């Protein structure tokens, strides 16, 4: 029977990379019944909002979705659809595998890391008060009464909520992944030396969960600024990282850089029942409609989707086909060539077709 999957092509280069991904998934022989959902700019034009309840219903019904990037219009009052999807569907675990593939341009070889980022709270919770508003002034005065540290007049305020419950949930998800996938060590990343209460709670929660896995998975912690340096200088010391939302966002992109950039980096967002797969990159407006960008990140995201659908053999064949094309370095997009102007670079669709031939 065909798997039902919600497909959100998204904005900019989204339709091109998701189309390339669809070709590759279909070439594995796995039957998918794609339910295509409009989000982003097309949805704004039609429905006045970038994310309709109908799209959320489709994902809730199918429980599996894959999406292209979605543009966040700046200064038009729309919140990021990506953040809305994660919060509305309680997709609390953002998982980013960072694996080295031969043929990619990387500063370091053999990176093999898996990142678990908490997806629902922290400074991403969207609790913000703009400078000059009544609410912001009331909050500022309240805080100034309660705290020895004072907030300057004319400030904007963003709130960083971190709960023990959400922290334990993401750390447990990371440990469960480690056990299932034979990973050896988890490092909790934080800034608890400065944010003693919020990051302190994240660290304490991580330590508590780690105790349940003692003897099975090693655990340590690292302060986020030191972690960034360590990841560049001593990557091989780390196996899996678990982080609150904001550090997770930044460190994942750092690690995307370590494996050859945004064209390669894949991602997944998991809740207890729903999973949403997506490339890490954005909608790259300057390349829209040019059949130019790298489809690998979206295709590798579909490898994660196939694993989630328990189509392990298809996932392995597709990943190996991507690996072979990257290693050969012939039928690859401009960003994977030694020079960005290399005339032998192929288009998005042609790279996908080369991958299909190797499945
Ligand atoms: P971007 O990822 O679109 O582009 C950054 C750089 O990477 C650009 O030079 C771009 O051309 C290049 N690039 C991106 N994807 C590529 C690919 N597949 N192959 C080759 N090169 C690629 O980031 P941005 O310019 O900061 O953001 C553009 C829009 O995308 C914004 O509206 C932003 O909000 C949105 N965005 C969405 C997501 C998402 O939907 N998950 C993620 C990031 C950014």
């Amino acid at each position: 029977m065909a798997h039902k999957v919600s497909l959100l092509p998204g904005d900019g280069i989204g339709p091109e990379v998701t189309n390339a991904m669809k070709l590759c998934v279909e070439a594995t022989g796995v039957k998918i019944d794609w339910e295509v959902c409009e989000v982003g700019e097309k949805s704004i034009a039609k429905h006045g909002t970038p994310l309709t309840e109908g799209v959320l219903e489709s994902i809730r019904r199918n429980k599996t979705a894959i999406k292209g990037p979605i543009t966040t219009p700046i200064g038009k009052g729309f919140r990021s659809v990506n953040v809305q999807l994660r919060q509305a569907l309680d997709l609390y675990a953002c998982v980013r595998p960072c694996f080295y593939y031969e043929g990619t341009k990387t500063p370091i070889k053999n990176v093999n890391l898996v990142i678990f980022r908490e997806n629902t709270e922290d400074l991403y919770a969207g609790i913000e008060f703009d400078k000059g508003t009544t609410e912001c002034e009331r909050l500022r005065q309240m805080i100034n009464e309660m705290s020895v540290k004072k907030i300057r007049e004319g400030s904007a305020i963003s709130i960083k909520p971190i709960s023990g419950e959400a922290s334990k949930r993401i750390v447990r998800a990371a440990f469960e992944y480690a056990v299932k996938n034979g990973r050896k060590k988890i490092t909790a990343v934080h800034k608890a030396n400065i944010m003693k209460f919020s990051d302190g709670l994240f660290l304490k929660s991580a330590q508590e969960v780690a105790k349940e896995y003692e003897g099975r998975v090693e655990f340590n912690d690292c302060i986020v600024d030191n972690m960034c340096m360590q990841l560049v200088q001593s990557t091989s010391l780390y196996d899996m990282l678990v982080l609150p939302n904001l550090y997770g966002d930044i460190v994942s992109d750092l690690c995307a850089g370590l494996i050859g950039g945004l064209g390669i980096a894949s991602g997944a967002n998991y809740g207890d029942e729903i999973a949403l797969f997506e490339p890490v990159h954005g909608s790259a407006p300057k390349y829209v409609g040019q059949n130019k960008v790298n489809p690998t990140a979206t295709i590798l995201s579909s490898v994660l989707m196939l694993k989630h659908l328990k189509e392990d053999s298809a996932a392995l064949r597709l990943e190996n086909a991507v690996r072979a094309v990257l290693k050969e370095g012939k039928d690859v997009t401009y960003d994977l060539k030694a020079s960005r102007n290399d005339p032998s670079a192929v288009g998005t669709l042609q790279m996908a077709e080369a991958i299909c031939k190797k499945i």
Side-chain angles (χ1 to χ4, degrees):
M1 212 177 70
H3 300 280
K4 283 205 104 174
V5 171
S6 304
L7 170 62
L8 288 57
D11 293 319
I13 57 167
E16 294 167 59
V17 290
T18 50
N19 188 37
M21 172 281 296
K22 223 171 128 214
L23 271 185
C24 293
V25 171
E26 286 169 0
T28 66
V30 171
K31 297 272 174 288
I32 309 254
D33 184 357
W34 305 99
E35 198 168 289
V36 179
C37 303
E38 275 180 358
V39 284
E41 285 161 348
K42 278 199 186 126
S43 176
I44 296 177
K46 247 192 204 165
H47 309 287
T49 169
L51 178 64
T52 60
E53 193 48 42
V55 173
L56 292 172
E57 270 167 26
S58 163
I59 302 175
R60 286 194 187 105
R61 194 171 48 243
N62 296 328
K63 299 200 166 33
T64 306
I66 186 159
K67 64 177 274 293
I70 302 169
T71 300
T72 306
I74 298 172
K76 291 194 187 155
F78 292 114
R79 283 186 63 210
S80 155
V81 173
N82 303 301
V83 176
Q84 281 187 63
L85 281 168
R86 291 167 198 162
Q87 289 178 352
L89 301 169
D90 200 22
L91 301 171
Y92 59 84
C94 176
V95 182
R96 301 260 178 93
C98 300
F99 303 145
Y100 170 71
Y101 291 99
E102 205 177 323
T104 52
K105 287 187 279 182
T106 64
I108 303 168
K109 299 271 175 282
N110 300 323
V111 172
N112 183 344
L113 279 169
V114 179
I115 300 177
F116 269 66
R117 161 188 172 192
E118 204 287 326
N119 240 351
T120 64
E121 11 183 75
D122 197 352
L123 283 164
Y124 269 73
I127 309 171
E128 295 204 285
F129 299 89
D130 200 3
K131 171 187 142 206
T133 59
T134 322
E135 293 81 7
C136 189
E137 189 49 26
R138 269 175 61 198
L139 183 62
R140 187 179 77 82
Q141 281 176 12
M142 210 169 80
I143 292 172
N144 285 354
E145 274 167 36
M146 289 189 297
S147 164
V148 279
K149 298 274 164 52
K150 306 296 173 203
I151 298 179
R152 259 191 215 115
E153 205 179 330
S155 297
I157 303 174
S158 301
I159 305 284
K160 173 178 164 126
I162 291 208
S163 70
E165 185 192 329
S167 302
K168 282 188 178 169
R169 184 168 72 160
I170 185 70
V171 176
R172 188 163 283 114
F175 273 96
E176 284 300 313
Y177 178 99
V179 170
K180 280 197 197 104
N181 293 278
R183 313 265 333 176
K184 301 279 177 264
K185 180 173 145 189
I186 293 183
T187 304
V189 184
H190 59 88
K191 189 84 186 175
N193 53 330
I194 303 295
M195 274 152 283
K196 295 186 194 310
F197 301 133
S198 49
D199 283 20
L201 181 56
F202 178 81
L203 176 59
K204 190 165 153 280
S205 307
Q207 287 163 337
E208 278 174 33
V209 173
K211 280 202 187 102
E212 298 168 24
Y213 295 84
E214 237 167 38
R216 289 190 286 164
V217 182
E218 221 184 294
F219 173 78
N220 68 355
D221 70 276
C222 188
I223 292 174
V224 62
D225 38 351
N226 182 22
M227 187 79 248
C228 291
M229 187 190 69
Q230 297 278 333
L231 280 171
V232 175
Q233 289 196 327
S234 320
T235 326
S236 63
L237 294 180
Y238 300 93
D239 188 25
M240 283 183 62
L241 311 179
V242 61
L243 314 90
N245 210 339
L246 181 64
Y247 310 143
D249 185 23
I250 298 166
V251 171
S252 319
D253 269 27
L254 188 156
C255 291
L258 295 180
I259 57 162
L262 291 172
I264 304 290
S266 60
N269 301 279
Y270 298 101
D272 285 331
E273 289 197 355
I274 298 172
L276 169 70
F277 302 87
E278 62 175 342
V280 170
H281 62 73
S283 54
K286 70 178 176 196
Y287 291 128
V288 181
Q290 295 178 29
N291 185 37
K292 187 168 167 115
V293 295
N294 190 346
T296 306
T298 313
I299 296 170
L300 288 175
S301 301
S302 75
V303 168
L304 301 174
M305 180 189 78
L306 288 170
K307 283 186 191 156
H308 178 75
L309 294 171
K310 304 210 177 346
E311 297 285 358
D312 288 355
S313 125
L316 189 65
R317 281 185 287 123
L318 179 51
E319 187 179 12
N320 283 340
V322 171
R323 183 176 283 119
V325 167
L326 291 175
K327 185 174 174 188
E328 223 171 65
K330 188 166 72 68
D331 295 315
V332 295
T333 46
Y334 75 98
D335 55 313
L336 292 166
K337 294 283 184 184
S339 142
R340 290 172 86 84
N341 300 320
D342 189 329
S344 73
V346 302
T348 311
L349 192 58
Q350 289 65 39
M351 183 166 177
E353 285 168 351
I355 293 169
C356 290
K357 282 196 193 127
K358 295 207 185 283
I359 290 174

